[in-house]
């Protein structure tokens, strides 16, 4: 009878020890595994950024941060896409041939984009690094021409860009807005900072 009691005590002690070991192992594993996720510092240094674009309506723009820079994602309307084709004569570099900011192969087109509907550019003026703002068609803004088709205006020195981020002629900005590396993970998720599948 005493052998059975000792055996039961050992079993209980082993079960408690194993349970405590499992809880302790989990307590150590969770913080360890979380270290594999990129930190805020790593993201700021250039880790890719995923963006859900499913709720972006035609004509809307969202700004996200990548490498400490604002990246604009604009969902263009069919009218805006069509209008881009008629602006070449007004632009300083309509085909993005200047090499100060190398453009990815998939953005060497009129819309400077993988999908014509979506523009992805770094929202920093190529003149002195100011941040332009959007100016809608027919906005009545005195800093743009009366027949302004819509685009971006840098308020610091008056550089203007079309809805593909291409700079207009005779403006202080020497180059088009930069296109960052990016790719689509799905129809609704965009990855900025990596373009392996582009």
């Amino acid at each position: 009878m005493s052998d059975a009691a000792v055996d039961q005590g050992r079993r209980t002690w082993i079960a408690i020890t194993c349970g405590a070991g499992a809880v302790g192992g989990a307590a150590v594993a969770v913080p360890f595994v979380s270290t594999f996720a990129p930190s805020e510092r790593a993201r700021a240094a250039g880790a890719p950024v995923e963006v859900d674009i499913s709720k972006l309506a035609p004509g809307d723009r969202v700004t996200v941060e990548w490498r400490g820079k604002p990246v604009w994602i604009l969902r263009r309307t069919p009218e805006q896409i069509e209008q881009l084709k008629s602006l070449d004569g007004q632009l300083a570099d309509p085909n993005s041939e200047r090499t100060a900011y190398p453009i990815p192969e998939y953005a060497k087109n009129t819309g400077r984009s993988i999908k014509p509907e979506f523009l992805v550019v770094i929202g920093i003026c190529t003149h002195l690094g100011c941040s332009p703002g959007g100016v809608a068609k027919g906005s009545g803004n005195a800093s743009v021409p009366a027949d302004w088709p819509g685009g971006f205006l840098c308020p610091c020195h008056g550089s203007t860009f079309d809805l593909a981020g291409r700079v207009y002629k005779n403006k202080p900005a020497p180059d088009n807005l930069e296109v960052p590396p990016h790719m689509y993970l799905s129809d609704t998720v965009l990855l900025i900072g990596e373009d392996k599948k582009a």
Side-chain angles (χ1 to χ4, degrees), residues 74 76 84 96 109-112 119 121 151-152 161-167 176-177 179:
L74 169 68
R76 295 179 283 220
L84 291 175
S96 298
N109 52 58
T110 303
R112 301 178 76 229
L119 171 68
V121 291
F152 308 104
F161 303 86
D162 74 352
L163 291 174
R166 301 176 297 177
V167 68
N176 297 332
L177 297 178
V179 176

Side-chain angles (χ1 to χ4, degrees), residues 8-30:
Q8 185 61 35
R10 283 185 180 166
R11 287 184 182 168
T12 302
W13 177 248
I14 289 171
I16 291 170
T17 305
C18 288
V23 170
V28 170
V30 170

Side-chain angles (χ1 to χ4, degrees), residues 36-110:
F36 291 114
S39 66
E40 290 298 322
R41 191 174 183 184
R43 279 194 286 271
V49 176
E50 281 188 30
V51 184
D52 180 357
I53 55 173
S54 61
K55 294 183 174 80
L56 199 59
D60 285 352
R61 176 177 57 133
V62 66
T63 303
V64 297
E65 186 179 343
W66 174 68
R67 290 189 173 179
K69 299 176 184 176
V71 176
W72 297 338
I73 303 161
L74 169 68
R75 185 172 182 185
R76 295 179 283 220
T77 65
E79 177 192 15
Q80 290 170 334
I81 295 168
E82 190 61 32
Q83 194 169 46
L84 291 175
K85 300 172 186 173
S86 66
L87 299 175
D88 285 9
Q90 301 173 49
L91 304 169
D93 185 20
N95 300 315
S96 298
E97 294 170 351
R98 296 181 183 167
T99 58
Y101 297 100
I103 186 168
E105 284 298 319
Y106 50 81
K108 289 187 177 179
N109 52 58
T110 303

